[in-house]
Every structure is written in C-alpha cells, then in structure tokens.
Amino acid sequence: NLLVPFVDSVRSKVDMREQVVSFPPQPVITSDNLVVSIDTVLYFKVVDPVRATYEISNFLQAIEQLTVTTLRNVIGSLDLERALTSREEINRHLSTVLDETTGRWGIKVTRVEIKAIEPPPSIRDSMEKQMRAERERRATILNAEGHKQAAILTAEGEKQSQVLRADGDRQARILQAEGQAKAIRTVFDAIHTANPSQKVLAYQYLQALPQIANGTANKVWIVPTELTKALEGMGGALGGLANMAGD
C-alpha cells in the first residue's frame, strides 16, 4: 500500500510474535460455596492482524474477560478438593474454549496455565490441620507396626531359644543316660568276668562303708546276710592266719 506523507498514516501496529500475559487473581466460587483466588497465565499470538484490528476494539481485554468467565464456569462445577487436584483438566478446558472464541479475531491461544489456586485462610488452616493429623496418624501407625514386628521377632527368638535349649537338655540327658548305662554294663561285665568270691565283695563293701556313713541324712544301714557270712569267713581266715603266726 502507498501512503501519502502527512496525509495517510498506519492504522495500528500489531506484534505477531507469541506473547504472554498474566491476569490478576480472580475470586471464583466453587460448587461447595467456597471463594478461591485463581491466577492465570495466557500464551497467544496474532495470526491475522487485520481481524485483530477491525473485528474487535481491544482483543487483550476481551481475552481476559473471556478467561475469567470461562474459569468461573469451570470452577463453579467443581468442589474445592477437585479444583485443587484437576489443574490439567481446567487448563485443557480453558484452552479449548478460548481457542474457539478467539479464532474469529485472528488470534491463536497456544497455552493457558493456572499459576495458583488460593483457598480462604480458614480453609487453609483446616487443610493444614487435616494434613498434620494425617501425618501424625501415619506416624502412629508406622510406630505401632514397628513395635508389633519387634514384639513378634522377640517372641519368635525366645521360642526358638527355648526349643533349642530344651533340645540341648534332652540330648544331654540322653547322652548322660547312655554313658551311665554303658558304665554300669562295663562294670557288670567286668565283675561277671572276674567272678569274685563273697569275701572280695564283703571287702569292697567295707571300703564303701565310710562313704555311705559320710552323709548327714544316713540314719539306718542295711547289712545283707551274705555280707555277714562273708565277714564270718574272713574272720575265720584271719584267725587261722593269727594261729599260724603264733606257732
């Protein structure tokens, strides 16, 4: 186009680069009647400067108002908890609505982001208390689980130690009984092989009498009749020896 100096002038200059604009916080009411403050960031670019100039007087203000209206419609259908956890869903919905509406103005909305969702102070305090209580509950549960596992392991250890101790005592008794039985069998076999006389047995009994009388609880002694006969024989033998010595 040819412009005559001092007569014609440029209607407006439009920046066709991608631009970013941050809208101020907007109060929005959720479905559970709570007022939250939402900050949004918008990325857009002008693809048709003629439409952006002649189809609307101020496209930036129009985009802002359209964003606020759409945001209130979307947040109004969600409760606070879902609004705090559904940012991606809200961003996609805003981007779709804005792109469809601003297309006839020669503007392309490339991205919409929610910077922050701020609930009321009282709700924030309640949420913090709830989170603190939840953390304390989890800590208590973990502590109780730890004590439970420790008690179980301690009981298992004591059980195993008692079982092993009992098994050791049983093996010791068995070995001791086998040793005593073997000793008795050896003594019996030796005595049976030697075939001692009554006099030898009486002599062995006389040697064992001091050990028998050593106990404080021994009050009664039982002397077998075979021992008395053996002692009589031993006495006769000793008397004969004495007579031979005198002669």
Side-chain angles (χ1 to χ4, degrees), residues 159-212:
K159 176 183 176 182
Q160 292 180 3
S161 64
Q162 291 177 0
V163 170
L164 293 176
R165 192 180 298 110
D167 187 67
D169 293 339
R170 183 178 63 86
Q171 293 293 336
R173 292 192 182 96
I174 292 174
L175 293 176
Q176 185 177 4
E178 290 179 353
Q180 292 178 356
K182 187 175 180 180
I184 293 173
R185 190 180 300 109
T186 302
V187 173
F188 178 78
D189 292 340
I191 295 174
H192 182 72
T193 302
N195 193 16
S197 63
Q198 296 292 332
K199 296 179 180 179
V200 173
L201 293 177
Y203 181 72
Q204 292 292 330
Y205 186 81
L206 289 175
Q207 288 182 341
L209 283 178
Q211 297 179 359
I212 297 175

Side-chain angles (χ1 to χ4, degrees), residues 46-86:
V46 178
V47 295
D48 190 345
V50 176
R51 289 186 180 181
T53 303
Y54 293 100
E55 292 292 337
I56 190 168
S57 60
N58 190 340
F59 64 85
L60 188 59
Q61 183 181 2
I63 292 175
E64 180 181 358
Q65 295 301 320
L66 182 60
T67 302
V68 172
T69 304
T70 307
L71 189 61
R72 287 177 178 175
N73 292 334
V74 175
I75 299 298
S77 61
L78 304 174
D79 56 8
L80 178 60
E81 183 176 359
R82 188 177 176 187
L84 293 173
T85 57
S86 304

Side-chain angles (χ1 to χ4, degrees), residues 4 8 35 37 45 69 95 126 134 149-150 159 169 180 190 201 212 225-226 231 236 246:
V4 179
D8 297 329
V35 179
S37 179
K45 67 183 299 184
T69 304
S95 180
S126 299
E134 181 67 20
Q149 293 296 330
K159 176 183 176 182
D169 293 339
Q180 292 178 356
L201 293 177
I212 297 175
T225 57
E226 291 81 0
L231 292 176

Side-chain angles (χ1 to χ4, degrees), residues 110-130:
T110 57
R111 189 177 182 85
V112 180
E113 290 289 343
I114 295 179
K115 290 196 301 183
I117 300 178
E118 296 292 338
S122 59
I123 300 300
R124 288 200 301 268
D125 294 340
S126 299
M127 293 173 63
E128 290 177 359
K129 292 179 181 179
Q130 182 178 1

